[in-house]
Amino acid sequence: MQLPFAESYKIKMVETIKKSTREEREQWIKEAKYNLFNLKSEQVFVDLLTDSGTGAMSDKQWSELMLGDESYAGASSYYKMKTAIKDILGFDYFLPTHQGRAAENVLFSVLVKEGMVVPGNSHFDTTKGHIEFRKASAIDCTIDEAFDTTAHHDFKGNVDLNKLEKVLMSYPLEKIPMIIMTVTNNSAGGQPVSMQNLRDVYTMSRKYGVRVVFDSARFAENAYFIKQREAAYADKSIKEIVKEMFSYADAMTMSSKKDAIVNMGGFIGFKDEDLFKQASVFGIIFEGYITYGGMSGRDMNALAQGLYEGTEFDTLDSRIKQVAFLGQRLKDFGVPSQEPFGGHAIFVDVKRFLPHVPKEEFPAQTLAIELYLEAGVRAVEIGAILADRDPVTRENRYPELELLRLAIPRRTYTNNHMEYVAAALGNVYARRNDIKRGVKIIKEAPIMRHFTVELERL
Ligand code: F0G
């Protein structure tokens, strides 16, 4: 008999989570103004808001905390992180930052100026925020297949080379500070980018003389998919694949809260010493001295250890199979999702789930509220509320995909939790025709409104 799949770790410490009644949840979500970010974590049973900073560190990472060197300058923890970054990613220069968006802030302070354009594959919201905040624009060049959740494509995170070349030919090159490749492509559903595509983008970038920056939060998951789906890489190790991926980047930003499996931390990697030096100035102003940049020594140690663990095949295999397990269970209940399933999350296609709720009433947010009421499961809207208003016209932007993201923290929940979540959403799906109306916005912030928006049910 073929042995079933089992996780490559066992549990050493546990944290209690609490169930609640539907009446309690009705009250709590109302007090939260129907914004799930406003819930207290103790009001949530299974928390799939994000996979960012919510993973379980290993015994080795916890041990590393004790070895942290908290010297202001030149700490051994800084050098441990430097060695890991060189070893695994191949970058000679780096700056620590407190998280991924801080890395964007520091790097973009050097590179992005008013009126510039930054092409790429579906920029993440903070990335786009940092570009638009500087009065520049992000141009999404992702392949069309990414926006059809029923279309099969092994690498829905890919850039469409024709779209990219059109951008490179349409603007003066000094207006294009970089191409950003997000691996995996979070906004398209945790979808990977193929090695072929990374190589092609890099080749095109050399032709036009534009640098390539990887937004690398889930680079190891991307490497896992390359190994599984790109024939030439089947026999390569994750670490070999990662090395080749980053050979096609000039710089990288990293939110270490994902694939480096720490609760907080980030960095920028540079191949070019000159860019590193320019960015160091902003790093010092915004984050801290160049050998700690917003991180404690102990956290740099845990991060370095996390980079090694996060690029082990078995760690990734356990993780991605758990995400696919949830995806398959949901599929068994008829729930429509982005397929193939992504690396860090299942993205439910809400246009197909609640086709009768008009887009002006924010169907994905409506579904997030219903799922919470059903079972105390917190997911997150990746739809029109997140897409925000157009910075110029101030009209609501309605993205092609209206999604509910169920993000799975690393090494945190068991497959029983996944069964629970699937049954809960299956129940909502069974009564989907009774959900006739959505929500309306009562209050919103001028930028990144989804975090603080206040809503009312219609
Ligand atoms: N880039 C990507 C692709 C991300 O997914 C994130 C964060 C960031 C950059 C920013 O990093 O949070 O450390 O400042 N994504 C989280 C999420 C928040 O839930 O997807 P950060």
Side-chain angles (χ1 to χ4, degrees):
M1 187 165 69
Q2 174 148 27
L3 294 175
F5 172 75
E7 289 81 1
S8 64
Y9 53 85
K10 59 182 179 174
I11 295 165
K12 194 176 289 211
M13 192 195 280
V14 296
E15 179 182 343
T16 303
I17 50 177
K18 284 197 216 125
K19 286 200 173 139
S20 53
T21 63
R22 190 174 172 110
E23 290 71 47
E24 286 173 323
R25 293 193 292 274
E26 294 269 7
Q27 182 62 29
W28 293 335
I29 192 77
K30 192 170 168 211
E31 286 165 6
K33 308 273 199 267
Y34 299 97
N35 179 344
L36 287 87
F37 283 101
N38 288 334
L39 290 170
K40 295 179 181 157
S41 65
E42 64 197 26
Q43 296 168 338
V44 175
F45 182 54
V46 180
D47 201 348
L48 306 186
L49 182 68
T50 180
D51 64 320
S52 181
T54 52
M57 290 207 296
S58 68
D59 50 354
K60 293 205 176 75
Q61 286 179 292
W62 282 102
S63 309
E64 282 296 331
L65 292 184
M66 295 304 292
L67 300 173
D69 175 356
E70 306 303 341
S71 305
Y72 191 96
S76 65
S77 300
Y78 166 81
Y79 288 102
K80 212 174 237 182
M81 195 165 149
K82 186 174 168 69
T83 303
I85 289 172
K86 175 70 184 168
D87 250 16
I88 293 180
L89 307 162
F91 289 86
D92 284 322
Y93 305 97
F94 91 103
L95 282 174
T97 61
H98 78 276
Q99 63 182 93
R101 68 199 71 185
E104 293 160 2
N105 187 33
V106 170
L107 182 63
F108 296 2
S109 292
V110 181
L111 296 179
V112 182
K113 303 277 177 296
E114 185 169 344
M116 288 185 166
V117 295
V118 182
N121 58 339
S122 310
H123 312 68
F124 181 66
D125 50 338
T126 59
T127 318
K128 197 177 194 162
H130 274 298
I131 293 169
E132 291 179 352
F133 180 73
R134 292 174 171 81
K135 300 195 160 48
S137 341
I139 303 182
D140 188 354
C141 300
T142 309
I143 56 170
D144 291 337
E145 287 89 335
F147 306 105
D148 177 355
T149 59
T150 61
H152 185 90
H153 191 293
D154 278 343
F155 294 99
K156 281 186 170 174
N158 281 358
V159 146
D160 180 327
L161 296 165
N162 292 326
K163 290 186 196 173
L164 177 63
E165 188 147 41
K166 222 170 135 191
V167 175
L168 296 174
M169 291 190 316
S170 308
Y171 294 88
L173 292 172
E174 66 276 10
K175 293 270 179 213
I176 312 177
M178 65 189 139
I179 300 164
I180 298 184
M181 295 300 288
T182 307
V183 289
T184 58
N185 185 334
N186 184 0
S187 312
Q191 297 293 316
V193 181
S194 69
M195 192 73 90
Q196 184 65 48
N197 196 244
L198 293 175
R199 195 182 299 124
D200 289 344
V201 167
Y202 189 69
T203 305
M204 189 179 286
S205 77
R206 296 310 93 163
K207 180 173 153 197
Y208 289 91
V210 176
R211 69 172 73 67
V212 177
V213 175
F214 284 6
D215 176 354
S216 322
R218 301 178 183 86
F219 73 94
E221 291 171 5
N222 199 90
Y224 177 91
F225 284 119
I226 288 175
K227 183 174 170 67
Q228 304 300 46
R229 298 181 187 172
E230 213 166 338
Y233 294 90
D235 298 324
K236 299 246 194 252
S237 72
I238 296 292
K239 289 188 171 64
E240 285 169 328
I241 294 171
V242 166
K243 263 281 167 64
E244 185 179 338
M245 281 169 58
F246 284 98
S247 73
Y248 306 128
D250 298 293
M252 64 175 287
T253 55
M254 178 71 185
S255 168
S256 308
K257 302 167 74 173
K258 285 84 166 173
D259 278 355
I261 328 181
V262 288
N263 303 117
M264 194 52 76
F267 59 90
I268 313 168
F270 308 85
K271 293 218 174 126
D272 169 21
E273 187 181 7
D274 191 47
L275 184 58
F276 160 71
K277 284 191 169 153
Q278 290 177 54
S280 299
V281 177
F282 292 99
I284 292 169
I285 299 172
F286 293 139
E287 293 293 297
Y289 182 60
I290 51 178
T291 64
Y292 73 86
M295 294 189 71
S296 305
R298 53 180 171 271
D299 289 335
M300 290 194 277
N301 273 16
L303 197 167
Q305 173 63 23
L307 280 175
Y308 289 102
E309 287 175 23
T311 47
E312 276 166 17
F313 178 81
D314 285 345
T315 307
L316 289 161
D317 197 44
S318 301
R319 157 147 189 81
I320 296 199
K321 285 193 169 141
Q322 184 175 52
V323 174
F325 176 81
L326 174 62
Q328 188 54 49
R329 276 289 183 276
L330 287 168
K331 197 172 174 173
D332 296 342
F333 286 110
V335 174
S337 306
Q338 170 73 295
E339 289 193 52
F341 304 130
H344 67 294
I346 295 300
F347 290 71
V348 177
D349 184 345
V350 185
K351 280 190 186 168
R352 286 196 280 146
F353 195 118
L354 293 175
H356 47 281
V357 176
K359 66 179 194 302
E360 294 77 13
E361 296 182 9
F362 306 111
Q365 182 65 18
T366 305
L367 185 56
I369 295 164
E370 288 293 339
L371 176 61
Y372 175 70
L373 288 172
E374 179 71 25
V377 175
R378 176 158 64 173
V380 72
E381 188 250 24
I382 308 277
I385 295 182
L386 178 75
D388 224 318
R389 291 177 186 276
D390 184 284
V392 181
T393 66
R394 301 306 297 157
E395 291 298 319
N396 275 314
R397 286 192 279 214
Y398 295 103
E400 261 175 90
L401 292 176
E402 177 78 10
L403 303 166
L404 181 71
R405 186 182 76 170
L406 306 165
I408 317 297
R410 292 164 186 75
R411 310 190 285 211
T412 302
Y413 291 112
T414 67
N415 282 3
N416 285 331
H417 292 110
M418 299 301 113
E419 296 269 19
Y420 176 91
V421 171
L425 200 52
N427 286 348
V428 179
Y429 190 66
R431 61 175 172 82
R432 64 191 179 282
N433 292 328
D434 302 335
I435 303 166
K436 297 203 161 47
R437 299 297 305 269
V439 289
K440 84 170 191 209
I441 294 180
I442 303 299
K443 236 187 203 171
E444 64 181 280
I447 192 168
M448 309 229 93
R449 65 179 178 182
H450 57 290
F451 289 119
T452 52
V453 69
E454 296 183 7
L455 302 160
E456 206 170 76
R457 290 181 102 187
L458 291 164

